[in-house]
Amino acid sequence: TCSAAVDAGSTAVHKELEAYVAKFLGKEDAVVFNMGYGTNTSALEALGGKGTLILSDALNHTSIVNGCRAAYAKVKPFKHNDEKDLEEKLISAISEGRPSKDGSFTPW
């Protein structure tokens, strides 16, 4: 089918494709999504969540921004393709820590 697995389920063809992709990449397994937008919105939500820090390029595609929002992650954007700004944001996030419910900060 042309539907996403979440809507129509997986078929033997889906599993065969995922096995082929995994073998091609030299990995144990793979997941194939039906489109890039769905990949970004679904995978980011699955990988992160509330209390997760995501350092994101300021010019990332809307699908990545929406995936970060869906994950309820703390997002710190850095200037587009600017390694120095990324480094500064990372150092700042690590040194500040994650805000906790009691007003203190804990490590990420």
Side-chain angles (χ1 to χ4, degrees):
T1 71
C2 293
S3 298
V6 71
D7 295 329
S10 293
T11 67
V13 174
H14 292 116
K15 296 295 182 189
E16 183 180 341
L17 174 61
E18 289 175 343
Y20 180 81
V21 170
K23 183 177 179 182
F24 177 78
L25 295 173
K27 301 296 180 184
E28 184 177 325
D29 207 349
V31 177
V32 176
F33 291 86
N34 62 334
M35 62 179 172
Y37 193 95
T39 303
N40 293 335
T41 56
S42 302
L44 288 171
E45 186 176 1
L47 294 173
K50 196 169 186 166
T52 301
L53 172 65
I54 298 176
L55 297 168
S56 179
D57 191 297
L59 296 183
N60 269 340
H61 189 268
T62 302
S63 60
I64 295 173
V65 173
N66 289 343
C68 293
R69 287 181 184 153
Y72 296 102
K74 171 70 175 169
V75 180
K76 286 194 173 242
F78 60 90
K79 294 175 188 170
H80 178 61
N81 284 343
D82 188 329
E83 292 178 34
K84 184 76 173 154
D85 193 48
L86 170 59
E87 181 180 19
E88 289 171 6
K89 294 286 183 357
L90 179 59
I91 290 169
S92 171
I94 291 170
S95 64
E96 291 172 10
R98 174 177 49 170
S100 65
K101 292 179 182 179
D102 67 2
S104 62
F105 290 87
T106 58
W108 287 98

XYZ file of all heavy atoms in Angstrom:
803
model
N 0.837 -1.186 0.000
C 0.000 0.000 0.000
C 0.877 1.242 0.000
O 2.065 1.174 0.267
C -0.907 0.041 1.250
O -0.103 0.314 2.382
C -1.684 -1.246 1.434
N 0.248 2.374 -0.238
C 0.959 3.653 -0.162
C 0.774 4.306 1.195
O 1.287 5.378 1.451
C 0.458 4.597 -1.248
S 0.896 4.029 -2.896
N 0.010 3.671 2.070
C -0.249 4.228 3.392
C 0.912 3.965 4.331
O 1.691 3.032 4.148
C -1.509 3.598 3.981
O -2.623 3.892 3.199
N 0.978 4.785 5.361
C 1.985 4.582 6.400
C 1.659 3.311 7.172
O 0.495 2.917 7.285
C 1.988 5.778 7.331
N 2.684 2.682 7.715
C 2.494 1.446 8.475
C 1.549 1.655 9.647
O 0.784 0.762 10.005
C 3.835 0.914 8.951
N 1.583 2.830 10.237
C 0.698 3.114 11.374
C -0.764 3.089 10.940
O -1.641 2.744 11.720
C 1.073 4.451 12.052
C 0.707 5.639 11.197
C 0.432 4.562 13.414
N -1.049 3.418 9.683
C -2.422 3.418 9.170
C -2.837 2.064 8.618
O -3.941 1.603 8.876
C -2.583 4.466 8.056
C -2.390 5.886 8.554
O -2.707 6.141 9.734
O -1.922 6.724 7.773
N -1.977 1.449 7.855
C -2.352 0.227 7.142
C -1.596 -1.007 7.599
O -1.847 -2.101 7.112
C -2.128 0.426 5.646
N -0.649 -0.859 8.513
C 0.132 -2.003 8.953
C 1.290 -2.281 8.007
O 1.420 -1.665 6.960
N 2.120 -3.201 8.408
C 3.267 -3.592 7.580
C 2.931 -4.858 6.810
O 2.224 -5.723 7.304
C 4.491 -3.858 8.463
O 4.930 -2.669 9.055
N 3.460 -4.935 5.633
C 3.283 -6.140 4.817
C 4.620 -6.857 4.700
O 5.657 -6.343 5.144
C 2.791 -5.763 3.403
O 3.842 -5.053 2.736
C 1.535 -4.922 3.445
N 4.606 -8.005 4.083
C 5.846 -8.748 3.850
C 6.813 -7.923 2.993
O 8.026 -7.988 3.181
C 5.535 -10.083 3.180
N 6.260 -7.133 2.082
C 7.098 -6.292 1.217
C 7.808 -5.222 2.048
O 8.987 -4.930 1.824
C 6.259 -5.656 0.088
C 7.089 -4.678 -0.728
C 5.668 -6.725 -0.805
N 7.105 -4.631 3.020
C 7.735 -3.641 3.905
C 8.903 -4.274 4.654
O 9.992 -3.704 4.738
C 6.734 -3.087 4.928
C 5.657 -2.248 4.335
N 4.339 -2.611 4.390
C 5.703 -1.066 3.683
C 3.608 -1.686 3.794
N 4.422 -0.735 3.349
N 8.663 -5.444 5.216
C 9.706 -6.132 5.993
C 10.895 -6.490 5.094
O 12.049 -6.378 5.496
C 9.151 -7.392 6.662
C 8.080 -7.104 7.683
C 8.652 -6.326 8.833
C 7.610 -6.050 9.901
N 8.083 -5.133 10.902
N 10.614 -6.917 3.883
C 11.677 -7.251 2.932
C 12.502 -6.006 2.593
O 13.734 -6.063 2.556
C 11.062 -7.837 1.660
C 12.070 -8.291 0.630
C 11.402 -8.859 -0.620
O 10.225 -9.238 -0.571
O 12.091 -8.904 -1.659
N 11.828 -4.889 2.371
C 12.524 -3.636 2.069
C 13.403 -3.218 3.244
O 14.560 -2.837 3.064
C 11.524 -2.531 1.744
C 12.109 -1.128 1.549
C 13.087 -1.099 0.376
C 10.986 -0.110 1.357
N 12.881 -3.297 4.463
C 13.658 -2.914 5.642
C 14.871 -3.822 5.823
O 15.965 -3.358 6.154
C 12.767 -2.922 6.882
C 11.774 -1.787 6.862
C 10.777 -1.789 7.997
O 10.601 -2.829 8.663
O 10.167 -0.729 8.228
N 14.701 -5.117 5.568
C 15.830 -6.046 5.653
C 16.883 -5.719 4.591
O 18.091 -5.757 4.863
C 15.341 -7.483 5.495
N 16.435 -5.375 3.398
C 17.349 -5.024 2.316
C 18.136 -3.753 2.657
O 19.354 -3.698 2.480
C 16.560 -4.835 1.011
C 17.425 -4.463 -0.166
C 18.130 -5.444 -0.865
C 17.551 -3.140 -0.572
C 18.943 -5.101 -1.942
C 18.357 -2.793 -1.636
C 19.052 -3.781 -2.322
O 19.846 -3.440 -3.368
N 17.428 -2.736 3.174
C 18.085 -1.482 3.554
C 19.106 -1.731 4.661
O 20.231 -1.232 4.623
C 17.053 -0.409 3.968
C 17.720 0.796 4.600
C 16.215 0.018 2.765
N 18.729 -2.528 5.659
C 19.642 -2.838 6.763
C 20.888 -3.552 6.238
O 22.012 -3.202 6.623
C 18.937 -3.703 7.803
N 20.696 -4.516 5.367
C 21.840 -5.246 4.811
C 22.733 -4.304 3.997
O 23.960 -4.330 4.127
C 21.356 -6.392 3.928
C 22.474 -7.240 3.373
C 21.949 -8.403 2.558
C 23.119 -9.196 1.999
N 22.686 -10.302 1.165
N 22.115 -3.447 3.192
C 22.859 -2.498 2.374
C 23.703 -1.573 3.246
O 24.835 -1.245 2.918
C 21.886 -1.684 1.509
C 22.558 -0.628 0.678
C 23.223 -0.979 -0.500
C 22.527 0.706 1.055
C 23.852 -0.008 -1.274
C 23.147 1.678 0.287
C 23.804 1.325 -0.876
N 23.150 -1.140 4.376
C 23.850 -0.222 5.276
C 24.765 -0.943 6.261
O 25.489 -0.299 7.025
C 22.837 0.627 6.061
C 21.991 1.583 5.222
C 20.927 2.242 6.084
C 22.865 2.633 4.545
N 24.725 -2.276 6.252
C 25.552 -3.044 7.173
C 25.065 -2.949 8.608
O 25.856 -2.982 9.548
N 23.749 -2.841 8.779
C 23.151 -2.707 10.104
C 22.290 -3.925 10.417
O 21.886 -4.667 9.537
C 22.289 -1.434 10.199
C 23.056 -0.164 9.927
C 24.124 0.061 10.973
C 24.909 1.332 10.725
N 25.987 1.519 11.659
N 21.992 -4.077 11.699
C 21.172 -5.209 12.151
C 19.733 -5.095 11.655
O 19.112 -6.090 11.297
C 21.203 -5.256 13.681
C 20.467 -6.426 14.279
C 20.587 -6.457 15.794
O 21.646 -6.078 16.333
O 19.603 -6.854 16.431
N 19.200 -3.886 11.651
C 17.807 -3.682 11.265
C 17.623 -2.256 10.758
O 18.510 -1.415 10.929
C 16.888 -3.932 12.464
C 15.495 -4.391 12.054
O 15.162 -4.325 10.850
O 14.731 -4.808 12.941
N 16.503 -1.990 10.146
C 16.201 -0.647 9.639
C 14.702 -0.418 9.703
O 13.919 -1.369 9.729
C 16.682 -0.495 8.197
N 14.319 0.843 9.736
C 12.916 1.233 9.663
C 12.780 2.141 8.446
O 13.561 3.073 8.275
C 12.462 1.986 10.932
C 11.023 2.440 10.799
C 12.648 1.116 12.166
N 11.800 1.870 7.622
C 11.568 2.661 6.422
C 10.282 3.461 6.616
O 9.246 2.899 6.975
C 11.455 1.754 5.176
C 11.106 2.569 3.942
C 12.754 0.995 4.962
N 10.372 4.766 6.401
C 9.211 5.641 6.481
C 8.762 5.983 5.073
O 9.543 5.966 4.137
C 9.559 6.935 7.230
C 9.817 6.735 8.701
C 11.079 6.387 9.153
C 8.799 6.899 9.621
C 11.327 6.210 10.501
C 9.030 6.720 10.968
C 10.294 6.380 11.415
N 7.486 6.358 4.950
C 6.952 6.625 3.618
C 7.275 8.016 3.092
O 7.056 8.294 1.927
C 5.443 6.398 3.589
C 4.699 7.329 4.515
O 5.240 7.798 5.501
N 3.446 7.597 4.205
N 7.774 8.909 3.955
C 8.144 10.249 3.493
C 9.021 10.933 4.531
O 9.005 10.558 5.700
C 6.903 11.098 3.222
C 6.050 11.339 4.429
S 4.655 12.374 4.004
C 3.738 12.287 5.523
N 9.772 11.921 4.090
C 10.680 12.625 4.988
C 9.981 13.365 6.103
O 10.422 13.352 7.244
N 8.858 14.017 5.786
C 8.144 14.765 6.817
C 7.721 13.818 7.940
O 7.924 14.103 9.117
C 6.919 15.466 6.226
C 6.323 16.486 7.167
C 6.674 17.820 7.067
C 5.423 16.103 8.158
C 6.150 18.759 7.937
C 4.894 17.040 9.028
C 5.258 18.366 8.914
O 4.733 19.285 9.782
N 7.158 12.685 7.575
C 6.727 11.706 8.577
C 7.886 11.158 9.377
O 7.767 10.906 10.577
N 9.015 10.974 8.725
C 10.206 10.490 9.416
C 10.624 11.460 10.503
O 10.821 11.076 11.654
C 11.371 10.318 8.425
O 10.976 9.423 7.392
C 12.613 9.794 9.112
N 10.740 12.713 10.148
C 11.211 13.717 11.102
C 10.231 13.926 12.246
O 10.636 14.016 13.405
C 11.492 15.034 10.393
C 12.669 14.928 9.454
O 13.533 14.086 9.623
N 12.707 15.775 8.459
N 8.948 14.015 11.945
C 7.986 14.262 13.012
C 7.841 13.052 13.922
O 7.689 13.195 15.128
C 6.609 14.683 12.463
O 6.145 13.686 11.556
C 6.685 16.022 11.769
N 7.924 11.852 13.375
C 7.757 10.636 14.179
C 9.023 10.256 14.929
O 8.970 9.936 16.115
C 7.363 9.457 13.286
O 6.186 9.732 12.597
N 10.146 10.253 14.243
C 11.388 9.768 14.853
C 11.854 10.678 15.987
O 12.290 10.187 17.029
C 12.479 9.632 13.799
N 11.748 11.975 15.809
C 12.196 12.882 16.868
C 11.349 12.719 18.120
O 11.857 12.758 19.235
C 12.183 14.330 16.386
C 13.280 14.661 15.392
C 13.074 16.040 14.789
C 14.640 14.578 16.053
N 10.065 12.519 17.937
C 9.192 12.300 19.084
C 9.541 10.996 19.792
O 9.511 10.904 21.015
C 7.728 12.281 18.633
C 6.756 12.199 19.769
C 5.311 12.279 19.320
O 5.035 12.380 18.110
O 4.427 12.226 20.199
N 9.913 9.980 19.020
C 10.269 8.688 19.608
C 11.635 8.725 20.297
O 11.847 8.045 21.291
C 10.265 7.606 18.523
N 12.554 9.515 19.786
C 13.916 9.564 20.337
C 14.053 10.506 21.526
O 14.935 10.326 22.356
C 14.903 9.993 19.243
C 15.074 9.019 18.095
C 15.937 9.639 17.006
C 15.670 7.713 18.569
N 13.232 11.529 21.562
C 13.323 12.511 22.640
C 12.017 12.604 23.379
O 11.071 11.888 23.097
N 11.959 13.501 24.300
C 10.739 13.711 25.065
C 10.956 14.842 26.040
O 11.980 15.533 26.018
N 9.995 15.020 26.911
C 10.108 16.063 27.919
C 11.383 15.806 28.723
O 11.655 14.697 29.130
C 8.885 16.032 28.826
C 8.723 17.273 29.626
C 7.373 17.328 30.307
C 7.253 18.694 30.955
N 5.894 18.980 31.345
N 12.177 16.845 28.883
C 13.447 16.696 29.578
C 14.613 16.403 28.664
O 15.746 16.285 29.105
N 14.359 16.307 27.364
C 15.412 16.087 26.386
C 15.861 17.428 25.826
O 15.044 18.308 25.598
C 14.887 15.215 25.221
O 14.436 13.974 25.735
C 15.957 14.974 24.170
N 17.149 17.574 25.607
C 17.691 18.780 24.990
C 17.999 18.486 23.530
O 18.675 17.510 23.214
C 18.978 19.227 25.695
C 19.743 20.364 25.032
C 18.926 21.654 25.060
C 21.093 20.561 25.710
N 17.497 19.333 22.646
C 17.796 19.221 21.223
C 18.448 20.525 20.777
O 17.864 21.599 20.928
C 16.533 18.951 20.387
C 15.904 17.616 20.790
C 16.860 18.991 18.897
C 14.603 17.307 20.087
N 19.670 20.434 20.264
C 20.347 21.570 19.646
C 20.027 21.497 18.160
O 20.374 20.527 17.495
C 21.845 21.512 19.900
C 22.238 21.610 21.376
C 23.683 21.254 21.570
C 21.944 22.985 21.908
N 19.361 22.510 17.653
C 18.799 22.448 16.308
C 19.243 23.641 15.474
O 19.180 24.786 15.936
C 17.272 22.433 16.430
O 16.647 22.403 15.184
N 19.665 23.377 14.243
C 20.018 24.449 13.316
C 18.812 25.371 13.136
O 17.685 24.910 12.974
C 20.433 23.842 11.966
C 21.056 24.860 11.041
O 20.357 25.820 10.652
O 22.233 24.705 10.705
N 19.045 26.666 13.189
C 17.962 27.648 13.109
C 17.180 27.555 11.798
O 16.019 27.959 11.746
C 18.517 29.055 13.288
N 17.789 27.014 10.753
C 17.100 26.916 9.465
C 16.657 25.490 9.143
O 16.432 25.168 7.972
C 17.992 27.468 8.341
C 18.334 28.951 8.439
C 19.156 29.385 7.222
C 17.085 29.812 8.571
N 16.493 24.664 10.160
C 15.999 23.307 9.921
C 14.617 23.335 9.287
O 13.841 24.271 9.491
C 15.935 22.509 11.228
C 17.220 21.761 11.490
O 18.006 21.520 10.593
N 17.432 21.400 12.736
N 14.310 22.271 8.550
C 13.018 22.142 7.889
C 11.891 22.122 8.920
O 12.066 21.686 10.053
C 13.008 20.837 7.069
C 11.812 20.708 6.194
N 10.677 20.066 6.614
C 11.578 21.141 4.938
C 9.776 20.094 5.638
N 10.306 20.744 4.605
N 10.743 22.585 8.524
C 9.573 22.624 9.398
C 9.267 21.257 10.009
O 8.820 21.180 11.162
C 8.347 23.120 8.603
O 8.642 24.400 8.061
C 7.115 23.216 9.472
N 9.518 20.190 9.297
C 9.235 18.854 9.830
C 10.093 18.559 11.060
O 9.634 17.911 12.013
C 9.463 17.783 8.761
O 10.805 17.788 8.313
N 11.323 19.034 11.069
C 12.199 18.830 12.226
C 11.722 19.697 13.387
O 11.661 19.241 14.534
C 13.665 19.122 11.857
C 14.154 18.104 10.830
C 14.557 19.128 13.102
C 15.530 18.374 10.265
N 11.351 20.926 13.105
C 10.826 21.818 14.140
C 9.566 21.210 14.756
O 9.415 21.157 15.980
C 10.538 23.226 13.558
C 9.836 24.107 14.575
C 11.826 23.870 13.074
N 8.666 20.717 13.915
C 7.431 20.107 14.421
C 7.700 18.825 15.196
O 7.026 18.537 16.182
C 6.457 19.844 13.274
C 5.871 21.125 12.721
O 5.918 22.165 13.351
N 5.332 21.051 11.522
N 8.694 18.058 14.771
C 9.079 16.860 15.513
C 9.596 17.200 16.894
O 9.280 16.526 17.879
N 10.375 18.259 17.000
C 10.876 18.718 18.303
C 9.726 19.168 19.196
O 9.690 18.863 20.385
C 11.872 19.858 18.124
S 13.406 19.401 17.311
N 8.779 19.878 18.606
C 7.605 20.330 19.379
C 6.788 19.141 19.856
O 6.313 19.121 21.000
C 6.733 21.252 18.529
C 7.328 22.607 18.312
C 6.408 23.477 17.485
N 7.037 24.758 17.212
C 6.771 25.499 16.163
N 5.889 25.114 15.270
N 7.386 26.645 15.992
N 6.584 18.163 18.989
C 5.793 16.984 19.354
C 6.456 16.201 20.478
O 5.777 15.537 21.261
C 5.589 16.091 18.129
N 7.773 16.275 20.548
C 8.512 15.560 21.593
C 8.498 16.306 22.923
O 8.909 15.766 23.938
C 9.956 15.342 21.144
N 8.030 17.549 22.923
C 8.055 18.399 24.125
C 9.466 18.541 24.673
O 9.683 18.647 25.871
C 7.114 17.878 25.212
C 5.666 17.904 24.788
C 5.019 16.751 24.376
C 4.958 19.103 24.786
C 3.689 16.777 23.975
C 3.632 19.139 24.390
C 3.002 17.968 23.987
O 1.700 18.008 23.583
N 10.432 18.527 23.779
C 11.836 18.655 24.175
C 12.194 20.127 24.345
O 11.533 21.021 23.804
C 12.731 18.027 23.107
N 13.259 20.372 25.080
C 13.828 21.719 25.199
C 14.682 21.928 23.961
O 15.625 21.166 23.719
C 14.674 21.821 26.480
C 15.484 23.086 26.590
C 14.625 24.289 26.812
C 15.504 25.518 27.032
N 14.728 26.729 26.992
N 14.360 22.921 23.165
C 15.075 23.165 21.913
C 15.900 24.439 22.039
O 15.393 25.475 22.441
C 14.098 23.295 20.729
C 14.850 23.557 19.433
C 13.239 22.050 20.616
N 17.174 24.305 21.729
C 18.074 25.472 21.683
C 18.572 25.586 20.244
O 19.426 24.817 19.818
C 19.247 25.287 22.644
C 18.860 25.445 24.095
C 20.103 25.592 24.942
C 19.708 25.926 26.342
N 20.203 27.196 26.783
N 18.029 26.538 19.491
C 18.513 26.708 18.114
C 19.871 27.398 18.085
O 20.176 28.220 18.946
C 17.440 27.572 17.467
C 16.655 28.168 18.562
C 16.912 27.390 19.812
N 20.669 27.019 17.114
C 21.944 27.695 16.885
C 21.942 28.265 15.473
O 21.172 27.827 14.620
C 23.142 26.755 17.113
C 23.161 25.552 16.218
C 23.801 25.579 14.991
C 22.540 24.374 16.610
C 23.823 24.469 14.159
C 22.555 23.253 15.792
C 23.200 23.297 14.565
N 22.774 29.276 15.240
C 22.840 29.930 13.943
C 23.158 28.900 12.852
O 23.962 27.996 13.059
C 23.903 31.030 13.946
C 23.573 32.173 14.871
C 24.731 33.167 14.926
C 24.493 34.204 15.994
N 25.685 35.024 16.230
N 22.545 29.099 11.704
C 22.678 28.164 10.583
C 24.134 27.862 10.234
O 24.922 28.767 9.958
C 21.958 28.730 9.357
C 22.080 27.879 8.144
N 21.609 26.596 8.092
C 22.623 28.134 6.939
C 21.860 26.091 6.894
N 22.477 27.007 6.174
N 24.463 26.584 10.281
C 25.800 26.079 9.909
C 26.940 26.751 10.670
O 28.051 26.839 10.157
C 26.049 26.232 8.408
C 25.307 25.198 7.599
O 24.852 24.190 8.120
N 25.175 25.451 6.305
N 26.675 27.219 11.874
C 27.676 27.940 12.650
C 28.179 27.052 13.797
O 27.544 26.960 14.847
C 27.060 29.233 13.191
C 28.073 30.159 13.846
O 29.059 29.658 14.419
O 27.851 31.386 13.799
N 29.307 26.386 13.566
C 29.863 25.464 14.561
C 30.201 26.165 15.871
O 30.035 25.592 16.951
C 31.117 24.782 14.020
C 30.850 23.826 12.892
C 32.123 23.217 12.346
O 33.074 22.978 13.131
O 32.178 22.987 11.128
N 30.672 27.387 15.780
C 31.037 28.148 16.986
C 29.797 28.403 17.846
O 29.823 28.222 19.064
C 31.711 29.466 16.573
C 32.218 30.272 17.725
C 33.493 29.692 18.287
C 34.063 30.638 19.324
N 34.871 29.975 20.306
N 28.705 28.824 17.210
C 27.472 29.066 17.953
C 26.924 27.763 18.543
O 26.445 27.744 19.684
C 26.420 29.727 17.061
C 25.248 30.273 17.846
O 25.475 30.962 18.858
O 24.101 30.003 17.455
N 27.017 26.690 17.788
C 26.597 25.378 18.292
C 27.402 24.998 19.527
O 26.843 24.584 20.549
C 26.758 24.309 17.210
C 26.586 22.852 17.645
C 25.204 22.613 18.235
C 26.854 21.924 16.477
N 28.703 25.171 19.455
C 29.570 24.851 20.585
C 29.202 25.697 21.810
O 29.113 25.177 22.925
C 31.036 25.071 20.209
C 32.001 24.732 21.325
C 33.454 24.962 20.941
O 33.728 25.700 19.970
O 34.316 24.393 21.634
N 28.965 26.980 21.587
C 28.593 27.874 22.691
C 27.271 27.446 23.330
O 27.136 27.427 24.555
C 28.509 29.320 22.202
C 29.861 29.925 21.879
C 29.758 31.276 21.184
O 28.632 31.812 21.050
O 30.807 31.784 20.754
N 26.286 27.085 22.494
C 24.984 26.653 23.014
C 25.120 25.340 23.797
O 24.492 25.151 24.838
C 23.982 26.479 21.871
C 23.619 27.757 21.145
C 22.723 28.616 21.958
C 22.203 29.885 21.406
N 22.469 30.463 20.201
N 25.952 24.442 23.297
C 26.163 23.165 23.969
C 26.850 23.370 25.321
O 26.399 22.826 26.340
C 26.995 22.235 23.087
C 27.318 20.863 23.664
C 26.054 20.099 23.987
C 28.189 20.084 22.691
N 27.904 24.151 25.343
C 28.623 24.430 26.599
C 27.682 25.106 27.598
O 27.649 24.749 28.780
C 29.881 25.286 26.333
C 30.925 24.445 25.594
C 30.447 25.843 27.625
C 32.093 25.242 25.055
N 26.900 26.062 27.115
C 25.951 26.755 27.985
C 24.921 25.787 28.562
O 24.628 25.814 29.761
C 25.251 27.861 27.187
O 24.204 28.415 27.920
N 24.375 24.921 27.718
C 23.355 23.972 28.174
C 23.926 23.001 29.200
O 23.276 22.696 30.206
C 22.787 23.202 26.974
N 25.145 22.538 28.963
C 25.772 21.599 29.900
C 26.065 22.287 31.224
O 25.799 21.731 32.298
C 27.051 20.998 29.293
C 26.682 20.065 28.140
C 27.857 20.247 30.356
C 27.854 19.593 27.321
N 26.574 23.501 31.173
C 26.931 24.190 32.416
C 25.696 24.635 33.201
O 25.693 24.605 34.425
C 27.846 25.378 32.139
O 27.188 26.340 31.362
N 24.641 25.024 32.505
C 23.414 25.447 33.186
C 22.634 24.254 33.722
O 22.009 24.328 34.766
C 22.511 26.234 32.229
C 23.061 27.583 31.848
C 22.237 28.243 30.756
O 21.142 27.745 30.420
O 22.699 29.268 30.229
N 22.640 23.156 32.985
C 21.869 21.988 33.383
C 20.405 22.137 33.013
O 19.970 23.104 32.411
N 19.630 21.136 33.405
C 18.211 21.088 33.090
C 17.409 21.580 34.292
O 17.630 21.117 35.414
C 17.839 19.642 32.754
C 16.389 19.404 32.555
C 16.113 17.993 32.161
N 16.796 17.059 33.061
C 16.588 15.770 33.087
N 15.736 15.226 32.264
N 17.231 14.993 33.922
N 16.470 22.502 34.074
C 15.656 22.972 35.195
C 14.824 21.831 35.777
O 14.290 21.003 35.052
C 14.736 24.023 34.562
C 15.322 24.339 33.240
C 16.135 23.159 32.826
N 14.746 21.781 37.095
C 13.918 20.772 37.742
C 12.710 21.435 38.389
O 12.613 22.663 38.450
C 14.733 19.996 38.775
O 15.128 20.856 39.815
N 11.792 20.627 38.871
C 10.539 21.148 39.437
C 10.747 22.015 40.672
O 9.962 22.901 40.963
C 9.607 19.984 39.768
C 9.100 19.269 38.553
C 8.200 18.112 38.922
C 7.762 17.385 37.672
N 6.919 16.250 37.964
N 11.816 21.748 41.414
C 12.041 22.509 42.649
C 12.844 23.793 42.426
O 13.233 24.467 43.368
C 12.719 21.637 43.703
C 14.146 21.232 43.327
O 14.636 21.655 42.257
O 14.756 20.499 44.114
N 13.096 24.132 41.166
C 13.802 25.359 40.853
C 15.315 25.216 40.745
O 16.001 26.150 40.369
N 15.834 24.048 41.068
C 17.269 23.825 40.919
C 17.538 23.284 39.511
O 16.641 23.193 38.689
C 17.762 22.835 41.980
O 17.135 21.587 41.808
N 18.788 22.944 39.261
C 19.153 22.429 37.944
C 19.842 21.087 38.103
O 20.594 20.860 39.031
C 20.084 23.423 37.227
C 19.361 24.676 36.814
C 19.240 25.740 37.703
C 18.813 24.778 35.563
C 18.568 26.895 37.335
C 18.146 25.940 35.188
C 18.018 26.991 36.072
N 19.554 20.188 37.171
C 20.177 18.862 37.168
C 20.907 18.668 35.840
O 20.590 19.333 34.855
C 19.111 17.753 37.316
O 18.170 17.863 36.242
C 18.362 17.881 38.630
N 21.869 17.762 35.780
C 22.580 17.528 34.515
C 21.638 17.004 33.436
O 20.651 16.353 33.735
C 23.627 16.472 34.885
C 23.712 16.485 36.356
C 22.394 16.950 36.865
N 21.987 17.302 32.194
C 21.221 16.739 31.089
C 21.553 15.287 31.030
O 20.981 14.428 30.650
C 21.567 17.416 29.760
C 21.010 18.795 29.691
C 21.703 19.941 29.949
C 19.669 19.199 29.394
N 20.865 21.023 29.819
C 19.623 20.604 29.482
C 18.521 18.509 29.076
C 18.459 21.329 29.248
C 17.369 19.226 28.850
C 17.346 20.626 28.930
